[in-house]
Amino acid sequence: MNVALWIAAGVLAAVALAGGFTKSVLPVRKLAAAHGGEWAGDAPGGLVRTLGVLEILAAIGLILPALAGIAPVLVPVTAVCWIALMIGAMVTHLRYAGGARFALLNLTYLAIAAFLALGRFGFEPF
């Protein structure tokens, strides 16, 4: 179970880091022109950048506390925060044409985060 939870944390951290980097570095117009990023065209630039920073912080929070052995409870807490972020992402993607596919992807990430949160809070805490 411990290995499966580490894999889940690693997958979510990689997704969060990639998404966060993209939202933090790419020009908002370029992000809005990409398939799945149409929402960014309607969002204030500061919001897009803030979401990017939050995703980078999530990537750190999913891995670093457990690796460092300092406040490892932050791993499942971060997973719960990721669930909230994915709910918002699903709602946002469903508002745009073709967004159902991205909403399903967000639902998958939500399920992985729920597994991680339940696992680290209950089944296999650090």
Side-chain angles (χ1 to χ4, degrees):
M1 178 64 92
N2 189 44
V3 172
L5 291 168
W6 271 105
I7 291 170
V11 167
L12 287 181
V15 167
L17 192 60
F21 182 77
T22 302
K23 289 176 187 79
S24 298
V25 175
L26 251 86
V28 175
R29 281 184 281 165
K30 188 170 185 177
L31 183 62
H35 184 57
E38 296 87 0
W39 64 271
D42 295 337
L47 175 64
V48 175
R49 300 287 181 233
T50 300
L51 288 172
V53 170
L54 288 174
E55 289 182 15
I56 291 169
L57 290 173
I60 293 167
L62 288 166
I63 300 293
L64 190 59
L67 282 180
I70 300 171
V73 72
L74 290 177
V75 173
V77 169
T78 303
V80 170
C81 293
W82 185 259
I83 290 169
L85 187 65
M86 289 301 100
I87 291 169
M90 289 167 52
V91 169
T92 300
H93 282 297
L94 287 172
R95 293 176 55 201
Y96 293 89
R101 192 176 90 204
F102 290 101
L104 284 175
L105 185 60
N106 295 135
L107 183 61
T108 302
Y109 298 147
L110 185 149
I112 295 170
F115 168 72
L116 180 60
L118 287 172
R120 288 301 183 203
F121 274 134
F123 304 125
E124 187 78 32
F126 290 109

